[in-house]
């Protein structure tokens, strides 16, 4: 009976119970997969998208794996160690290592989750990593997650990385040996943190590597940064240091008052003014003497010109002083850009596994929802509970029993006779084992046919379970429909109990509290969803109950209309009833629906989702061996949805119309 979407929803319920003590909520709503964290970094809510009934198997398997992954974090992660990692600057790296650890722990603790985690891993590699690589994404950032998981020992990622290690040579060279040796032995979040800190050190090593002759040489990626340094660069640094000393002494190097050449002897020690980028005086020992002389001659000329020439010279020197720090700043900026550590570059390009997976699943969910025939935002607010006995008065029960009990006796006897006739023992011949059948012996002597035995068959007509499902919608208030439905359900329940047939009685409607609609209104197209209210499935009598005073009051409340009569979502309500019935051990199962026949719950009426879904739901239920009968209360509308249907205009029609159909179901020919 259950399709994979229903099974997955039930699994969510079990996981909620599993992690309830950790105060973590698991929800199914909308089209986004996400985890919400508290201020301390502890998850407080895990949301998975609502799964349409016709969603792909691959998508549902990935959702199931995503859920197992997040539950594994809740069960096995040490958030104190994770907080330490965040402070130590290894948040992303530690999380990648932690993901591999908790998945291994989850699979060891709950063996069934291993397949789910592999499924979601395949989805992540196919729908995120491979796609991004084909789009030209940076291999280093995309492959670090699969690489660490491969080094941790996960076979799926080992296979994936076989032909991709060459795409991240720097990462492999720096941390490969350590990771392959250490990561498979991670046993706790603290172990993962220790490994993350060590890997960070390996990735932050100076950009030099040992040459074949034992000498050091620049690593790939560091050459460009080193080429920007030189003797002139050293001189610029020296000048900047000096400027700092000047600032400390109270003299402003940019001030007009600092133009005296005697205040800055470092700027002119006999070599003359130097343009940025020229060699330092230490490197100029072999300079041509004529060049030096030219420089001295230039100084003499400046002195001969008087104050004007001296002023120009001072301005040029001042300009040089200003340029030097600016050039140094530029040089330092380029240095920071070019000499960013491999660790920083790697982490800046890497997206968290959970975040990447959430995006991929959310995108897939939106696609699935856009093509779904029936769209529900969430079932989280749906309720299944005993019918509240509100506004009950004793006269309601007395009045119902007075009208119904008089017809129960004849109905009971009629059904009992039919069942007894069908249950009578019969003999069938033509078997090769059993009790010898004398009349068949001639077959053995004449034709050599050994099928001369017979067997006794006893009818088993009571090996059946029945569900009565009552439409408790607002339209049932009209013309006393709800009264007829309630009285009929009580009468049928009384008869079924007297003849010993296990049965359950349910009522269905919706809850008007605005919670679901307030969430739906935030969607782009809120009117694309089938319903705006949560379902309410009310238990009037359970399978395990006998008729008693308490459940008789519930029948009386229905018959008197003392129910919160809202909308009717027949298809989903039928599937809920069928799922409960499917758990019974009886060989035959029957659902009888008492309704005025037209599903209604805005906004689903706009595009006919509710009606189409009811047709599909009936076919689904019937295909799983559960027979259905639509009992139209003052209407023939159920014939549009159910293969077998009857019309009931009032309680007095019960013996002539409904019981005739029930006999066909309970006592088939």
């Amino acid at each position: 009976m259950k399709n994979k979407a229903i099974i997955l929803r039930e699994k969510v319920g079990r996981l909620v119970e599993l992690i309830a003590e950790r105060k973590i909520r698991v929800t199914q709503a909308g089209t986004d997969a996400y985890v919400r964290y508290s201020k301390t970094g502890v998850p407080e809510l895990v949301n998975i998208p609502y799964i349409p009934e016709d969603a792909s198997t691959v998508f549902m398997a990935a959702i199931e794996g995503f859920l197992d992954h997040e539950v594994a974090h809740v069960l096995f992660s040490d958030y104190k160690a994770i907080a330490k990692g965040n402070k130590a600057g290894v948040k992303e790296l530690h999380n990648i290592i932690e993901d591999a650890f908790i998945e291994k722990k989850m699979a060891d603790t709950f063996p069934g989750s291993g397949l789910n985690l592999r499924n979601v891993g395949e989805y992540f590699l196919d729908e995120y990593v491979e796609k991004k690589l084909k789009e030209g994404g940076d291999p280093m950032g995309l492959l670090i997650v699969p690489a660490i998981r491969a080094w941790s020992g996960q076979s799926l990622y080992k296979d994936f990385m076989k032909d991709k290690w060459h795409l991240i040579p720097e990462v492999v060279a720096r941390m490969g040996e350590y990771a392959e040796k250490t990561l498979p032995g991670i046993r706790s979040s603290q172990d993962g943190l220790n490994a993350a800190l060590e890997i960070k050190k390996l990735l932050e090593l100076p950009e030099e590597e040992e040459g074949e002759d034992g000498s050091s040489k620049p690593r790939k990626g560091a050459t460009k940064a080193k080429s920007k340094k030189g003797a002139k660069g050293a001189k610029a640094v020296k000048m900047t240091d000096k400027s700092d000393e000047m600032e400390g002494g109270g003299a402003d190097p940019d001030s007009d008052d600092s133009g005296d050449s005697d205040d800055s002897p470092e700027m002119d020690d006999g070599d003359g003014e130097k343009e940025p980028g020229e060699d330092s005086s230490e490197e100029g020992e072999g300079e041509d003497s004529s060049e030096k002389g030219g420089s001295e001659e230039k100084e003499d000329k400046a002195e001969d010109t008087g104050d004007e020439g001296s002023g120009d010279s001072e301005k040029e020197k001042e300009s040089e002083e200003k340029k030097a720090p600016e050039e140094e700043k530029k040089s330092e900026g380029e240095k920071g850009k070019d000499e960013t550590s491999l660790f920083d570059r790697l982490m800046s390009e890497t997206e968290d596994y959970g975040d990447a997976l959430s995006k991929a699943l959310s995108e897939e969910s939106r696609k699935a929802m856009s093509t779904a025939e029936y769209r529900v935002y969430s079932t989280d607010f749906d309720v299944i509970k005993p019918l509240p006995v509100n506004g009950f008065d004793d006269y309601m029960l007395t009045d119902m029993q007075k009208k119904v009990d008089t017809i129960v006796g004849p109905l009971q006897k009629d059904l009992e006779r039919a069942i007894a006739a069908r249950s009578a023992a019969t003999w069938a011949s033509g078997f090769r084992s059993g009790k010898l059948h004398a009349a068949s012996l001639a077959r053995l002597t004449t034709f050599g046919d050994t099928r001369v035995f017979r067997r006794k068959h006893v009818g088993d007509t009571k090996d059946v379970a029945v569900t009565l499902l009552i439409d408790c919608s607002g339209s049932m208030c009209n013309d006393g429909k709800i009264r007829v439905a309630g009285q009929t359900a009580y009468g049928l329940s009384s008869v079924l109990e007297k003849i010993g047939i296990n049965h359950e009685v349910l009522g269905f409607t919706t809850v008007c509290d605005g919670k679901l609609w307030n969430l739906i209104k935030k969607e782009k197209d809120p009117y694309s969803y089938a319903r705006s209210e949560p379902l309410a499935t009310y238990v009037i009598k359970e399978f395990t109950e006998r008729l008693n005073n308490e459940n008789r009051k519930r029948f009386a409340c229905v018959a008197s209309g003392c129910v919160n009569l809202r909308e009717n979502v027949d298809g989903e309500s039928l599937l809920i009833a069928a799922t409960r019935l499917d758990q019974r051990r009886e060989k035959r199962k029957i659902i009888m629906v008492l309704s005025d026949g037209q599903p209604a719950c805005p906004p689903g009426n706009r595009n006919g989702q509710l009606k189409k879904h009811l047709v599909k739901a009936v076919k689904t239920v019937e295909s799983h061996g559960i027979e259905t009968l639509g009992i139209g209360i003052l209407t023939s509308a159920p014939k549009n949805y159910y293969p077998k249907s009857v019309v009931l205009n009032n309680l007095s029609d019960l013996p002539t119309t409904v019981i005739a159909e029930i006999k066909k179901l309970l006592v088939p020919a």
Side-chain angles (χ1 to χ4, degrees):
M1 170 60 225
K2 300 177 186 176
N3 63 28
K4 290 187 177 181
I6 294 175
I7 292 172
L8 182 52
R9 291 176 208 148
E10 291 179 352
K11 178 181 178 179
V12 172
R14 293 193 296 272
L15 287 173
V16 169
E17 295 175 4
L18 179 66
I19 62 176
E21 62 184 35
R22 310 287 183 100
K23 297 182 180 179
I24 310 290
R25 289 178 58 210
V26 179
T27 57
Q28 300 176 79
T31 57
D32 289 328
Y34 62 88
V35 182
R36 191 171 69 205
Y37 296 88
S38 67
K39 292 181 180 178
T40 58
V42 178
E44 57 185 13
L45 183 145
V46 177
N47 185 74
I48 64 171
Y50 181 81
I51 313 297
E53 292 171 12
D54 49 359
S56 71
T57 303
V58 172
F59 176 54
M60 285 192 282
I63 286 288
E64 196 166 8
F66 171 75
L67 189 54
D68 279 0
H69 174 85
E70 296 302 336
V71 170
H73 269 302
V74 173
L75 296 177
F76 306 118
S77 284
D78 177 356
Y79 290 99
K80 290 182 180 178
I82 290 174
K84 290 178 185 176
N86 295 350
K87 290 181 180 179
V90 291
K91 177 181 178 180
E92 295 82 3
L93 180 58
H94 185 203
N95 191 52
I96 297 171
I97 298 171
E98 180 77 2
D99 284 342
F101 153 64
I102 56 104
E103 286 192 4
K104 184 178 185 301
K105 188 80 172 173
M106 186 74 173
D108 290 342
T109 309
F110 305 101
S113 67
L115 178 60
N116 298 334
L117 293 169
R118 184 180 179 87
N119 286 338
V120 76
E122 290 176 346
Y123 186 87
F124 167 72
L125 294 175
D126 293 342
E127 298 299 321
Y128 180 75
V129 180
E130 288 283 19
K131 277 188 176 180
K132 294 289 184 182
L133 286 172
K134 289 178 181 176
E135 292 170 2
D138 179 25
M140 189 162 64
L142 292 169
L143 295 179
I144 187 61
V145 171
I148 286 179
R149 284 169 171 260
W151 281 321
S152 297
Q154 291 182 294
S155 58
L156 171 66
Y157 297 91
K158 282 183 176 181
D159 294 339
F160 179 78
M161 288 300 298
K162 275 180 182 177
D163 60 347
K164 296 179 178 64
W165 291 113
H166 69 281
L167 298 175
I168 51 172
E170 288 181 279
V171 174
V172 174
R174 293 290 192 93
M175 61 176 281
E177 184 178 349
Y178 172 82
E180 194 167 8
K181 179 182 176 181
T182 306
L183 297 184
I186 299 296
R187 295 290 180 269
S188 67
S189 298
Q190 184 61 48
D191 286 351
L193 173 56
N194 295 339
L197 292 171
E198 186 61 32
I199 289 172
K200 181 184 179 185
K201 291 179 183 176
L202 294 172
L203 294 176
E204 287 182 334
L205 286 173
E207 291 286 316
E208 290 184 355
E209 61 185 6
E210 192 173 297
E212 294 180 2
D213 58 354
S215 63
S216 63
K217 62 180 182 179
R219 285 187 183 274
K220 183 179 179 181
T223 306
K224 183 178 179 181
K226 283 189 169 288
S227 67
K228 290 183 179 292
K229 292 182 179 180
K232 290 287 175 90
K235 180 69 174 177
V237 172
K238 184 176 179 182
M239 290 169 64
T240 304
D241 292 341
K242 187 65 180 176
S243 297
D244 292 339
E245 291 174 10
M246 291 168 64
E247 288 180 335
D252 185 355
D254 293 333
S255 169
D256 290 337
D257 295 333
S258 63
D260 193 336
S261 61
D262 292 335
D263 292 337
S264 54
E266 292 283 339
M267 298 293 290
D268 184 8
D269 58 355
D271 292 332
E273 296 175 4
K274 299 190 181 295
E275 294 292 329
E278 286 189 64
D279 292 338
S280 66
S281 59
E282 290 82 1
E283 292 174 324
E285 290 179 358
E287 279 182 282
D288 193 313
S289 61
S290 64
E291 292 182 9
K292 186 174 180 181
S295 176
E296 291 172 348
E297 185 177 343
K298 186 176 180 181
E299 282 187 283
D300 293 338
K301 279 187 178 181
E303 290 174 4
D304 292 340
T305 57
D307 292 340
E308 185 178 350
S310 177
D312 290 342
S313 176
E314 292 302 324
K315 286 180 181 179
E316 288 177 7
K317 289 178 182 180
E318 183 180 331
S319 176
E320 284 303 313
E321 282 189 355
K322 290 181 180 179
K323 283 182 181 179
E326 290 175 2
E327 289 294 328
E328 174 60 18
K329 288 178 183 178
K330 182 178 179 182
S331 176
E332 286 180 348
E334 291 176 347
K335 175 183 174 183
K337 180 179 178 181
D338 294 331
E339 291 193 346
T340 300
S341 74
L342 179 57
F343 174 80
D344 291 332
R345 283 189 283 138
L346 186 59
M347 291 302 102
S348 68
E349 295 292 338
T350 301
E351 183 161 20
D352 176 74
Y353 172 78
D355 292 342
L357 192 55
S358 295
K359 289 179 182 178
L361 289 173
S362 299
E363 183 179 345
E364 185 70 24
S365 175
R366 284 186 278 275
K367 289 179 184 176
M369 192 64 81
S370 67
T371 58
E373 294 180 359
Y374 187 74
R375 293 182 286 278
V376 175
Y377 183 83
S378 177
T379 59
D380 287 347
F381 304 100
D382 296 354
V383 295
I384 301 176
K385 64 179 183 179
L387 178 74
V389 182
N390 298 324
F392 175 78
D393 193 285
D394 286 340
Y395 88 88
M396 295 159 56
L397 178 56
T398 303
D399 181 63
M400 181 185 70
Q401 288 179 316
K402 181 180 178 180
K403 292 178 179 177
V404 175
D405 287 351
T406 56
I407 65 172
V408 169
L411 291 178
Q412 175 191 341
K413 290 180 181 178
D414 190 13
L415 283 175
E416 281 181 335
R417 283 194 294 267
I419 289 172
R422 184 62 181 166
S423 298
T426 58
W427 289 90
S429 58
F431 295 95
R432 290 189 170 87
S433 63
K435 190 171 182 179
L436 185 65
H437 188 211
S440 300
L441 290 175
R443 298 167 64 89
L444 178 61
T445 58
T446 306
F447 305 107
D449 190 345
T450 58
R451 291 174 295 175
V452 293
F453 298 90
R454 64 176 182 166
R455 296 176 184 172
K456 186 178 182 179
H457 290 272
V458 179
D460 196 14
T461 54
K462 290 188 179 181
D463 191 17
V464 60
V466 176
T467 294
L468 302 176
L469 186 61
I470 308 171
D471 177 356
C472 295
S473 64
S475 62
M476 291 288 285
C477 289
N478 301 331
D479 304 319
K481 294 177 185 178
I482 192 66
R483 182 183 70 252
V484 174
Q487 292 175 351
T488 300
Y490 175 66
L492 290 173
S493 178
S494 300
V495 172
L496 292 172
E497 177 160 295
K498 289 179 182 297
I499 63 178
I501 291 179
N502 291 319
H503 66 286
E504 178 173 61
V505 184
L506 304 172
F508 67 95
T509 183
T510 61
V511 178
C512 181
D513 58 10
K515 291 180 181 178
L516 184 60
W517 179 238
N518 287 337
L519 292 174
I520 292 175
K521 282 192 296 186
K522 297 176 183 177
E523 293 289 295
K524 251 185 179 179
D525 182 12
Y527 298 102
S528 68
Y529 290 95
R531 58 181 171 92
S532 60
E533 295 183 355
L535 303 183
T537 302
Y538 293 127
V539 180
I540 299 168
K541 178 199 168 297
E542 290 187 15
F543 279 109
T544 55
E545 289 182 315
R546 294 187 64 80
L547 278 173
N548 54 43
N549 192 53
E550 187 61 32
N551 52 42
R552 283 190 176 96
K553 288 180 181 179
R554 295 176 193 150
F555 279 108
C557 281
V558 174
S560 302
C562 292
V563 184
N564 181 27
L565 304 175
R566 286 291 304 168
E567 311 292 351
N568 56 303
V569 184
D570 297 53
E572 286 186 80
S573 301
L574 176 65
L575 290 173
I576 290 171
T579 299
R580 293 169 64 91
L581 179 59
D582 194 48
Q583 297 171 13
R584 299 293 303 177
R585 293 184 177 181
E586 287 83 359
K587 289 182 180 177
R588 295 184 58 233
K589 300 175 178 67
I590 302 168
I591 295 181
M592 304 179 193
V593 184
L594 294 84
S595 171
D596 60 358
Q598 298 294 348
C601 185
N605 292 338
R606 187 185 72 168
N607 51 17
Q609 284 189 68
L610 294 170
K611 295 179 181 179
K612 293 175 184 176
H613 186 251
L614 176 55
V615 172
K616 185 178 179 180
V618 171
K619 290 179 180 177
T620 299
V621 169
E622 293 265 348
S623 69
H624 284 81
I626 298 177
E627 299 169 80
T628 61
L629 172 66
I631 301 175
I633 308 299
L634 279 67
T635 177
S636 61
K639 72 179 181 181
N640 298 321
Y641 307 102
Y642 299 94
K644 300 186 187 79
S645 65
V646 294
V647 177
L648 185 68
N649 292 311
N650 51 62
L651 187 63
S652 60
D653 290 342
L654 186 58
T656 56
T657 58
V658 177
I659 290 299
E661 288 298 323
I662 291 175
K663 265 200 273 187
K664 293 177 185 177
L665 289 172
L666 294 178
V667 193

